Amino acid sequence: MMSKWEKIVAISAAAMVFGTTAYAESVSNWDLPSKTAVESVKIENKILMTTSKLQWNADQLKLFQDHDVNRQFFPALLYKVNQFDDLRSKLMFTNAPGAKFTRKLATDADGEEIKLSILNINELNKDKTYEFYTAWLHTVEGDSQVSFRSLQRYAQPNGTLNDLVKTDDEIATIKFKDAEETDKKYRDYYLPNSFDNPFQQYTWQDEANTAKEKSYALINSKDKLESYKLGAARNLKFATGGNKVKFAITFKNNAMIRPDELVKTYNLTLSQIYAAGIKENEEEYTVSWYDTGLEVMTLMRPKQTEFVKFYFTELEGTAYVEDLQKMSKEPYVDVIEIESNGKQVPTGVHWLNKLYGN
């Protein structure tokens, strides 16, 4: 475990040049943090907790912070498991602004991946420490490895989020055998029986596909956000019943809801749950997980449970149109978005609400 910052790379100060196409490659490694430290903790042979701390300097921020809606390039971070059956992610959190997590399921050939996209690029501050934490279930007896990486992404106007090719860099390798051991026992976490059931690691696997995350690049004002929400409400209202669609539900701030009850009432199949943890200094942490039965605080490092507020912000998953139409009338719902032709999967607008004070 590192106890201090480790300098990873000197970032070039040369100007970043993009071509006219959104698929152009950057000539600068602006996504690679200027300082990085990685820590890991394990609970017996069952749980691995990885925390990466990082900073970007002022010169880097100048290369990608831009208010032009047609030039929405942003940094992303990635945890990639070395072997397909070694680790399963259970919970993530970060204090990076406009955070969205994407889980790529393990296959017979590749390990699981957790990608953190930082969409609210203009709220990133120079030399501020940002954290990316993930709690993993360790599913094998031997050692396991997680590669921590950075890459560049872009938000395509009226399109999807995409990776810039050949921008993926490894920052560090985290080995389970080298993680710091704690005195706490696995049984002390009082986790649900399904937590380590080998047949319940991907309970929503049948709902997953290769559709890409929706881009919100063109929403750059409070008025445009409100217009977008009205359009999303109309799309749902006039959608054809009987169809099962992918959705993103954004709740009003401090909404008092229980995802497990919503699942039962509205026949939802959840793929991701989001919440906001607010510290005493009003800094917001984005917390995400998958299992409605999970007591999330049990899988957080103790210092990160010091939230003065904690409330649900968004849900993602699939449901029937008519169930979502009923749910949209609930007073705690801000907006329900549904997929566009199966190609653009919405991820919720809580971060835009926060940005524009809605």
PDB file of all heavy atoms in Angstrom, residues 34-66:
ATOM      1  N   SER A  34      -1.619  13.335 -13.155  1.00  0.00           N
ATOM      2  CA  SER A  34      -0.273  13.815 -12.861  1.00  0.00           C
ATOM      3  C   SER A  34       0.289  13.183 -11.593  1.00  0.00           C
ATOM      4  O   SER A  34       1.500  13.041 -11.437  1.00  0.00           O
ATOM      5  CB  SER A  34      -0.266  15.340 -12.735  1.00  0.00           C
ATOM      6  OG  SER A  34      -1.162  15.758 -11.718  1.00  0.00           O
ATOM      7  N   LYS A  35      -0.602  12.810 -10.654  1.00  0.00           N
ATOM      8  CA  LYS A  35      -0.196  12.121  -9.440  1.00  0.00           C
ATOM      9  C   LYS A  35      -1.206  11.018  -9.136  1.00  0.00           C
ATOM     10  O   LYS A  35      -2.408  11.216  -9.298  1.00  0.00           O
ATOM     11  CB  LYS A  35      -0.118  13.084  -8.260  1.00  0.00           C
ATOM     12  CG  LYS A  35       0.995  14.110  -8.353  1.00  0.00           C
ATOM     13  CD  LYS A  35       1.023  14.992  -7.120  1.00  0.00           C
ATOM     14  CE  LYS A  35       2.151  16.010  -7.201  1.00  0.00           C
ATOM     15  NZ  LYS A  35       2.185  16.881  -5.999  1.00  0.00           N
ATOM     16  N   THR A  36      -0.699   9.881  -8.694  1.00  0.00           N
ATOM     17  CA  THR A  36      -1.579   8.744  -8.410  1.00  0.00           C
ATOM     18  C   THR A  36      -1.047   7.949  -7.227  1.00  0.00           C
ATOM     19  O   THR A  36       0.155   7.762  -7.088  1.00  0.00           O
ATOM     20  CB  THR A  36      -1.676   7.793  -9.624  1.00  0.00           C
ATOM     21  OG1 THR A  36      -2.035   8.519 -10.779  1.00  0.00           O
ATOM     22  CG2 THR A  36      -2.716   6.710  -9.377  1.00  0.00           C
ATOM     23  N   ALA A  37      -1.941   7.501  -6.370  1.00  0.00           N
ATOM     24  CA  ALA A  37      -1.595   6.563  -5.296  1.00  0.00           C
ATOM     25  C   ALA A  37      -2.676   5.494  -5.254  1.00  0.00           C
ATOM     26  O   ALA A  37      -3.856   5.784  -5.441  1.00  0.00           O
ATOM     27  CB  ALA A  37      -1.500   7.275  -3.953  1.00  0.00           C
ATOM     28  N   VAL A  38      -2.274   4.257  -5.058  1.00  0.00           N
ATOM     29  CA  VAL A  38      -3.215   3.137  -5.052  1.00  0.00           C
ATOM     30  C   VAL A  38      -3.089   2.380  -3.732  1.00  0.00           C
ATOM     31  O   VAL A  38      -1.971   2.052  -3.300  1.00  0.00           O
ATOM     32  CB  VAL A  38      -2.948   2.185  -6.239  1.00  0.00           C
ATOM     33  CG1 VAL A  38      -3.903   1.001  -6.199  1.00  0.00           C
ATOM     34  CG2 VAL A  38      -3.088   2.936  -7.560  1.00  0.00           C
ATOM     35  N   GLU A  39      -4.222   2.101  -3.092  1.00  0.00           N
ATOM     36  CA  GLU A  39      -4.258   1.357  -1.842  1.00  0.00           C
ATOM     37  C   GLU A  39      -5.187   0.155  -2.005  1.00  0.00           C
ATOM     38  O   GLU A  39      -6.164   0.226  -2.766  1.00  0.00           O
ATOM     39  CB  GLU A  39      -4.773   2.238  -0.699  1.00  0.00           C
ATOM     40  CG  GLU A  39      -3.967   3.506  -0.477  1.00  0.00           C
ATOM     41  CD  GLU A  39      -4.638   4.442   0.505  1.00  0.00           C
ATOM     42  OE1 GLU A  39      -5.767   4.133   0.953  1.00  0.00           O
ATOM     43  OE2 GLU A  39      -4.037   5.483   0.824  1.00  0.00           O
ATOM     44  N   SER A  40      -4.898  -0.911  -1.293  1.00  0.00           N
ATOM     45  CA  SER A  40      -5.782  -2.076  -1.329  1.00  0.00           C
ATOM     46  C   SER A  40      -5.843  -2.734   0.043  1.00  0.00           C
ATOM     47  O   SER A  40      -4.839  -2.803   0.757  1.00  0.00           O
ATOM     48  CB  SER A  40      -5.323  -3.093  -2.381  1.00  0.00           C
ATOM     49  OG  SER A  40      -4.004  -3.527  -2.119  1.00  0.00           O
ATOM     50  N   VAL A  41      -7.025  -3.194   0.401  1.00  0.00           N
ATOM     51  CA  VAL A  41      -7.276  -3.848   1.683  1.00  0.00           C
ATOM     52  C   VAL A  41      -8.081  -5.108   1.408  1.00  0.00           C
ATOM     53  O   VAL A  41      -8.935  -5.134   0.518  1.00  0.00           O
ATOM     54  CB  VAL A  41      -8.068  -2.908   2.626  1.00  0.00           C
ATOM     55  CG1 VAL A  41      -8.465  -3.632   3.901  1.00  0.00           C
ATOM     56  CG2 VAL A  41      -7.251  -1.665   2.956  1.00  0.00           C
ATOM     57  N   LYS A  42      -7.811  -6.184   2.184  1.00  0.00           N
ATOM     58  CA  LYS A  42      -8.578  -7.412   1.997  1.00  0.00           C
ATOM     59  C   LYS A  42      -9.144  -7.884   3.323  1.00  0.00           C
ATOM     60  O   LYS A  42      -8.561  -7.651   4.387  1.00  0.00           O
ATOM     61  CB  LYS A  42      -7.720  -8.497   1.352  1.00  0.00           C
ATOM     62  CG  LYS A  42      -6.500  -8.932   2.150  1.00  0.00           C
ATOM     63  CD  LYS A  42      -5.658  -9.913   1.326  1.00  0.00           C
ATOM     64  CE  LYS A  42      -4.374 -10.264   2.058  1.00  0.00           C
ATOM     65  NZ  LYS A  42      -3.496 -11.137   1.210  1.00  0.00           N
ATOM     66  N   ILE A  43     -10.289  -8.522   3.227  1.00  0.00           N
ATOM     67  CA  ILE A  43     -10.939  -9.142   4.382  1.00  0.00           C
ATOM     68  C   ILE A  43     -10.907 -10.647   4.156  1.00  0.00           C
ATOM     69  O   ILE A  43     -11.594 -11.158   3.257  1.00  0.00           O
ATOM     70  CB  ILE A  43     -12.384  -8.641   4.568  1.00  0.00           C
ATOM     71  CG1 ILE A  43     -12.411  -7.182   5.036  1.00  0.00           C
ATOM     72  CG2 ILE A  43     -13.112  -9.489   5.604  1.00  0.00           C
ATOM     73  CD1 ILE A  43     -12.265  -6.169   3.962  1.00  0.00           C
ATOM     74  N   GLU A  44     -10.047 -11.330   4.919  1.00  0.00           N
ATOM     75  CA  GLU A  44      -9.797 -12.765   4.741  1.00  0.00           C
ATOM     76  C   GLU A  44      -9.511 -13.035   3.267  1.00  0.00           C
ATOM     77  O   GLU A  44      -8.804 -12.263   2.618  1.00  0.00           O
ATOM     78  CB  GLU A  44     -10.985 -13.563   5.292  1.00  0.00           C
ATOM     79  CG  GLU A  44     -11.165 -13.386   6.800  1.00  0.00           C
ATOM     80  CD  GLU A  44     -12.259 -14.254   7.372  1.00  0.00           C
ATOM     81  OE1 GLU A  44     -13.436 -14.107   6.983  1.00  0.00           O
ATOM     82  OE2 GLU A  44     -11.928 -15.083   8.229  1.00  0.00           O
ATOM     83  N   ASN A  45     -10.079 -14.112   2.752  1.00  0.00           N
ATOM     84  CA  ASN A  45      -9.865 -14.405   1.325  1.00  0.00           C
ATOM     85  C   ASN A  45     -11.100 -14.039   0.508  1.00  0.00           C
ATOM     86  O   ASN A  45     -11.255 -14.477  -0.629  1.00  0.00           O
ATOM     87  CB  ASN A  45      -9.557 -15.909   1.142  1.00  0.00           C
ATOM     88  CG  ASN A  45      -9.000 -16.219  -0.232  1.00  0.00           C
ATOM     89  OD1 ASN A  45      -8.060 -15.592  -0.686  1.00  0.00           O
ATOM     90  ND2 ASN A  45      -9.601 -17.184  -0.916  1.00  0.00           N
ATOM     91  N   LYS A  46     -11.972 -13.186   1.062  1.00  0.00           N
ATOM     92  CA  LYS A  46     -13.289 -12.989   0.473  1.00  0.00           C
ATOM     93  C   LYS A  46     -13.509 -11.634  -0.190  1.00  0.00           C
ATOM     94  O   LYS A  46     -14.235 -11.553  -1.180  1.00  0.00           O
ATOM     95  CB  LYS A  46     -14.358 -13.168   1.563  1.00  0.00           C
ATOM     96  CG  LYS A  46     -14.383 -14.548   2.182  1.00  0.00           C
ATOM     97  CD  LYS A  46     -14.943 -15.592   1.245  1.00  0.00           C
ATOM     98  CE  LYS A  46     -16.427 -15.447   1.092  1.00  0.00           C
ATOM     99  NZ  LYS A  46     -17.039 -16.527   0.288  1.00  0.00           N
ATOM    100  N   ILE A  47     -12.952 -10.566   0.371  1.00  0.00           N
ATOM    101  CA  ILE A  47     -13.268  -9.229  -0.134  1.00  0.00           C
ATOM    102  C   ILE A  47     -11.979  -8.457  -0.383  1.00  0.00           C
ATOM    103  O   ILE A  47     -11.055  -8.481   0.441  1.00  0.00           O
ATOM    104  CB  ILE A  47     -14.151  -8.449   0.864  1.00  0.00           C
ATOM    105  CG1 ILE A  47     -15.485  -9.155   1.057  1.00  0.00           C
ATOM    106  CG2 ILE A  47     -14.388  -7.019   0.366  1.00  0.00           C
ATOM    107  CD1 ILE A  47     -16.362  -8.512   2.114  1.00  0.00           C
ATOM    108  N   LEU A  48     -11.923  -7.778  -1.516  1.00  0.00           N
ATOM    109  CA  LEU A  48     -10.828  -6.876  -1.852  1.00  0.00           C
ATOM    110  C   LEU A  48     -11.396  -5.475  -2.029  1.00  0.00           C
ATOM    111  O   LEU A  48     -12.397  -5.288  -2.736  1.00  0.00           O
ATOM    112  CB  LEU A  48     -10.136  -7.314  -3.147  1.00  0.00           C
ATOM    113  CG  LEU A  48      -9.025  -6.388  -3.661  1.00  0.00           C
ATOM    114  CD1 LEU A  48      -7.832  -6.406  -2.700  1.00  0.00           C
ATOM    115  CD2 LEU A  48      -8.587  -6.791  -5.071  1.00  0.00           C
ATOM    116  N   MET A  49     -10.786  -4.493  -1.357  1.00  0.00           N
ATOM    117  CA  MET A  49     -11.204  -3.099  -1.486  1.00  0.00           C
ATOM    118  C   MET A  49     -10.061  -2.306  -2.110  1.00  0.00           C
ATOM    119  O   MET A  49      -8.965  -2.242  -1.555  1.00  0.00           O
ATOM    120  CB  MET A  49     -11.567  -2.515  -0.118  1.00  0.00           C
ATOM    121  CG  MET A  49     -12.733  -3.211   0.561  1.00  0.00           C
ATOM    122  SD  MET A  49     -13.021  -2.587   2.238  1.00  0.00           S
ATOM    123  CE  MET A  49     -14.553  -3.442   2.665  1.00  0.00           C
ATOM    124  N   THR A  50     -10.297  -1.742  -3.283  1.00  0.00           N
ATOM    125  CA  THR A  50      -9.266  -0.991  -3.989  1.00  0.00           C
ATOM    126  C   THR A  50      -9.625   0.496  -4.002  1.00  0.00           C
ATOM    127  O   THR A  50     -10.750   0.869  -4.320  1.00  0.00           O
ATOM    128  CB  THR A  50      -9.119  -1.492  -5.435  1.00  0.00           C
ATOM    129  OG1 THR A  50     -10.384  -1.417  -6.103  1.00  0.00           O
ATOM    130  CG2 THR A  50      -8.654  -2.941  -5.466  1.00  0.00           C
ATOM    131  N   THR A  51      -8.668   1.347  -3.646  1.00  0.00           N
ATOM    132  CA  THR A  51      -8.854   2.786  -3.658  1.00  0.00           C
ATOM    133  C   THR A  51      -7.722   3.433  -4.444  1.00  0.00           C
ATOM    134  O   THR A  51      -6.551   3.263  -4.094  1.00  0.00           O
ATOM    135  CB  THR A  51      -8.858   3.374  -2.233  1.00  0.00           C
ATOM    136  OG1 THR A  51      -9.857   2.728  -1.457  1.00  0.00           O
ATOM    137  CG2 THR A  51      -9.144   4.872  -2.263  1.00  0.00           C
ATOM    138  N   SER A  52      -8.072   4.149  -5.481  1.00  0.00           N
ATOM    139  CA  SER A  52      -7.097   4.901  -6.259  1.00  0.00           C
ATOM    140  C   SER A  52      -7.339   6.387  -6.034  1.00  0.00           C
ATOM    141  O   SER A  52      -8.473   6.856  -6.162  1.00  0.00           O
ATOM    142  CB  SER A  52      -7.215   4.566  -7.745  1.00  0.00           C
ATOM    143  OG  SER A  52      -6.928   3.202  -7.970  1.00  0.00           O
ATOM    144  N   LYS A  53      -6.269   7.109  -5.682  1.00  0.00           N
ATOM    145  CA  LYS A  53      -6.349   8.551  -5.481  1.00  0.00           C
ATOM    146  C   LYS A  53      -5.518   9.230  -6.562  1.00  0.00           C
ATOM    147  O   LYS A  53      -4.412   8.773  -6.862  1.00  0.00           O
ATOM    148  CB  LYS A  53      -5.830   8.926  -4.091  1.00  0.00           C
ATOM    149  CG  LYS A  53      -6.633   8.297  -2.963  1.00  0.00           C
ATOM    150  CD  LYS A  53      -6.078   8.686  -1.606  1.00  0.00           C
ATOM    151  CE  LYS A  53      -6.872   8.035  -0.482  1.00  0.00           C
ATOM    152  NZ  LYS A  53      -6.350   8.409   0.857  1.00  0.00           N
ATOM    153  N   LEU A  54      -6.039  10.291  -7.124  1.00  0.00           N
ATOM    154  CA  LEU A  54      -5.384  10.893  -8.274  1.00  0.00           C
ATOM    155  C   LEU A  54      -5.640  12.385  -8.372  1.00  0.00           C
ATOM    156  O   LEU A  54      -6.573  12.913  -7.767  1.00  0.00           O
ATOM    157  CB  LEU A  54      -5.838  10.208  -9.560  1.00  0.00           C
ATOM    158  CG  LEU A  54      -7.350  10.091  -9.730  1.00  0.00           C
ATOM    159  CD1 LEU A  54      -7.784  10.511 -11.105  1.00  0.00           C
ATOM    160  CD2 LEU A  54      -7.787   8.655  -9.458  1.00  0.00           C
ATOM    161  N   GLN A  55      -4.786  13.047  -9.138  1.00  0.00           N
ATOM    162  CA  GLN A  55      -4.913  14.467  -9.404  1.00  0.00           C
ATOM    163  C   GLN A  55      -4.612  14.742 -10.875  1.00  0.00           C
ATOM    164  O   GLN A  55      -3.873  13.989 -11.511  1.00  0.00           O
ATOM    165  CB  GLN A  55      -3.922  15.282  -8.552  1.00  0.00           C
ATOM    166  CG  GLN A  55      -4.136  15.215  -7.058  1.00  0.00           C
ATOM    167  CD  GLN A  55      -3.097  16.024  -6.301  1.00  0.00           C
ATOM    168  OE1 GLN A  55      -2.209  16.642  -6.901  1.00  0.00           O
ATOM    169  NE2 GLN A  55      -3.214  16.044  -4.987  1.00  0.00           N
ATOM    170  N   TRP A  56      -5.191  15.827 -11.379  1.00  0.00           N
ATOM    171  CA  TRP A  56      -4.785  16.393 -12.656  1.00  0.00           C
ATOM    172  C   TRP A  56      -4.277  17.804 -12.402  1.00  0.00           C
ATOM    173  O   TRP A  56      -4.851  18.541 -11.578  1.00  0.00           O
ATOM    174  CB  TRP A  56      -5.953  16.432 -13.649  1.00  0.00           C
ATOM    175  CG  TRP A  56      -6.339  15.085 -14.166  1.00  0.00           C
ATOM    176  CD1 TRP A  56      -5.737  14.381 -15.166  1.00  0.00           C
ATOM    177  CD2 TRP A  56      -7.435  14.272 -13.731  1.00  0.00           C
ATOM    178  NE1 TRP A  56      -6.361  13.178 -15.366  1.00  0.00           N
ATOM    179  CE2 TRP A  56      -7.417  13.080 -14.493  1.00  0.00           C
ATOM    180  CE3 TRP A  56      -8.424  14.430 -12.750  1.00  0.00           C
ATOM    181  CZ2 TRP A  56      -8.347  12.058 -14.334  1.00  0.00           C
ATOM    182  CZ3 TRP A  56      -9.337  13.417 -12.572  1.00  0.00           C
ATOM    183  CH2 TRP A  56      -9.309  12.246 -13.364  1.00  0.00           C
ATOM    184  N   ASN A  57      -3.237  18.227 -13.121  1.00  0.00           N
ATOM    185  CA  ASN A  57      -2.698  19.561 -12.917  1.00  0.00           C
ATOM    186  C   ASN A  57      -3.360  20.569 -13.860  1.00  0.00           C
ATOM    187  O   ASN A  57      -4.149  20.207 -14.738  1.00  0.00           O
ATOM    188  CB  ASN A  57      -1.168  19.580 -13.051  1.00  0.00           C
ATOM    189  CG  ASN A  57      -0.699  19.133 -14.434  1.00  0.00           C
ATOM    190  OD1 ASN A  57      -1.319  19.439 -15.454  1.00  0.00           O
ATOM    191  ND2 ASN A  57       0.410  18.409 -14.460  1.00  0.00           N
ATOM    192  N   ALA A  58      -3.041  21.833 -13.672  1.00  0.00           N
ATOM    193  CA  ALA A  58      -3.685  22.912 -14.420  1.00  0.00           C
ATOM    194  C   ALA A  58      -3.436  22.786 -15.921  1.00  0.00           C
ATOM    195  O   ALA A  58      -4.337  23.044 -16.731  1.00  0.00           O
ATOM    196  CB  ALA A  58      -3.198  24.267 -13.909  1.00  0.00           C
ATOM    197  N   ASP A  59      -2.225  22.406 -16.319  1.00  0.00           N
ATOM    198  CA  ASP A  59      -1.915  22.289 -17.748  1.00  0.00           C
ATOM    199  C   ASP A  59      -2.763  21.214 -18.414  1.00  0.00           C
ATOM    200  O   ASP A  59      -3.197  21.366 -19.561  1.00  0.00           O
ATOM    201  CB  ASP A  59      -0.428  21.967 -17.944  1.00  0.00           C
ATOM    202  CG  ASP A  59       0.466  23.146 -17.596  1.00  0.00           C
ATOM    203  OD1 ASP A  59      -0.019  24.298 -17.671  1.00  0.00           O
ATOM    204  OD2 ASP A  59       1.646  22.917 -17.268  1.00  0.00           O
ATOM    205  N   GLN A  60      -2.992  20.123 -17.709  1.00  0.00           N
ATOM    206  CA  GLN A  60      -3.827  19.066 -18.267  1.00  0.00           C
ATOM    207  C   GLN A  60      -5.267  19.525 -18.439  1.00  0.00           C
ATOM    208  O   GLN A  60      -5.898  19.264 -19.464  1.00  0.00           O
ATOM    209  CB  GLN A  60      -3.794  17.836 -17.359  1.00  0.00           C
ATOM    210  CG  GLN A  60      -2.493  17.100 -17.344  1.00  0.00           C
ATOM    211  CD  GLN A  60      -2.534  16.009 -16.295  1.00  0.00           C
ATOM    212  OE1 GLN A  60      -2.278  16.275 -15.126  1.00  0.00           O
ATOM    213  NE2 GLN A  60      -2.843  14.800 -16.691  1.00  0.00           N
ATOM    214  N   LEU A  61      -5.826  20.172 -17.413  1.00  0.00           N
ATOM    215  CA  LEU A  61      -7.220  20.600 -17.478  1.00  0.00           C
ATOM    216  C   LEU A  61      -7.465  21.527 -18.661  1.00  0.00           C
ATOM    217  O   LEU A  61      -8.524  21.480 -19.289  1.00  0.00           O
ATOM    218  CB  LEU A  61      -7.627  21.284 -16.174  1.00  0.00           C
ATOM    219  CG  LEU A  61      -7.590  20.414 -14.906  1.00  0.00           C
ATOM    220  CD1 LEU A  61      -8.126  21.201 -13.713  1.00  0.00           C
ATOM    221  CD2 LEU A  61      -8.385  19.138 -15.087  1.00  0.00           C
ATOM    222  N   LYS A  62      -6.485  22.357 -18.996  1.00  0.00           N
ATOM    223  CA  LYS A  62      -6.638  23.276 -20.132  1.00  0.00           C
ATOM    224  C   LYS A  62      -6.820  22.520 -21.447  1.00  0.00           C
ATOM    225  O   LYS A  62      -7.417  23.035 -22.389  1.00  0.00           O
ATOM    226  CB  LYS A  62      -5.412  24.187 -20.242  1.00  0.00           C
ATOM    227  CG  LYS A  62      -5.281  25.203 -19.123  1.00  0.00           C
ATOM    228  CD  LYS A  62      -3.987  25.993 -19.274  1.00  0.00           C
ATOM    229  CE  LYS A  62      -3.793  26.960 -18.116  1.00  0.00           C
ATOM    230  NZ  LYS A  62      -2.497  27.677 -18.238  1.00  0.00           N
ATOM    231  N   LEU A  63      -6.303  21.300 -21.493  1.00  0.00           N
ATOM    232  CA  LEU A  63      -6.341  20.532 -22.734  1.00  0.00           C
ATOM    233  C   LEU A  63      -7.700  19.899 -23.021  1.00  0.00           C
ATOM    234  O   LEU A  63      -7.985  19.538 -24.157  1.00  0.00           O
ATOM    235  CB  LEU A  63      -5.265  19.440 -22.700  1.00  0.00           C
ATOM    236  CG  LEU A  63      -3.811  19.942 -22.662  1.00  0.00           C
ATOM    237  CD1 LEU A  63      -2.856  18.773 -22.582  1.00  0.00           C
ATOM    238  CD2 LEU A  63      -3.496  20.797 -23.886  1.00  0.00           C
ATOM    239  N   PHE A  64      -8.547  19.723 -21.996  1.00  0.00           N
ATOM    240  CA  PHE A  64      -9.831  19.082 -22.282  1.00  0.00           C
ATOM    241  C   PHE A  64     -11.039  19.789 -21.679  1.00  0.00           C
ATOM    242  O   PHE A  64     -12.174  19.459 -22.024  1.00  0.00           O
ATOM    243  CB  PHE A  64      -9.820  17.604 -21.853  1.00  0.00           C
ATOM    244  CG  PHE A  64      -9.656  17.362 -20.382  1.00  0.00           C
ATOM    245  CD1 PHE A  64     -10.752  17.359 -19.530  1.00  0.00           C
ATOM    246  CD2 PHE A  64      -8.406  17.113 -19.836  1.00  0.00           C
ATOM    247  CE1 PHE A  64     -10.614  17.115 -18.175  1.00  0.00           C
ATOM    248  CE2 PHE A  64      -8.254  16.859 -18.483  1.00  0.00           C
ATOM    249  CZ  PHE A  64      -9.360  16.871 -17.650  1.00  0.00           C
ATOM    250  N   GLN A  65     -10.859  20.760 -20.802  1.00  0.00           N
ATOM    251  CA  GLN A  65     -12.015  21.502 -20.305  1.00  0.00           C
ATOM    252  C   GLN A  65     -12.479  22.470 -21.384  1.00  0.00           C
ATOM    253  O   GLN A  65     -11.718  23.314 -21.847  1.00  0.00           O
ATOM    254  CB  GLN A  65     -11.659  22.248 -19.014  1.00  0.00           C
ATOM    255  CG  GLN A  65     -11.534  21.323 -17.824  1.00  0.00           C
ATOM    256  CD  GLN A  65     -11.325  22.046 -16.514  1.00  0.00           C
ATOM    257  OE1 GLN A  65     -10.725  23.104 -16.477  1.00  0.00           O
ATOM    258  NE2 GLN A  65     -11.804  21.461 -15.420  1.00  0.00           N
ATOM    259  N   ASP A  66     -13.741  22.333 -21.777  1.00  0.00           N
ATOM    260  CA  ASP A  66     -14.256  23.097 -22.910  1.00  0.00           C
ATOM    261  C   ASP A  66     -15.769  23.183 -22.793  1.00  0.00           C
ATOM    262  O   ASP A  66     -16.430  22.189 -22.527  1.00  0.00           O
ATOM    263  CB  ASP A  66     -13.873  22.404 -24.226  1.00  0.00           C
ATOM    264  CG  ASP A  66     -13.980  23.325 -25.439  1.00  0.00           C
ATOM    265  OD1 ASP A  66     -14.852  24.220 -25.433  1.00  0.00           O
ATOM    266  OD2 ASP A  66     -13.203  23.135 -26.382  1.00  0.00           O
TER     267      ASP A  66
END
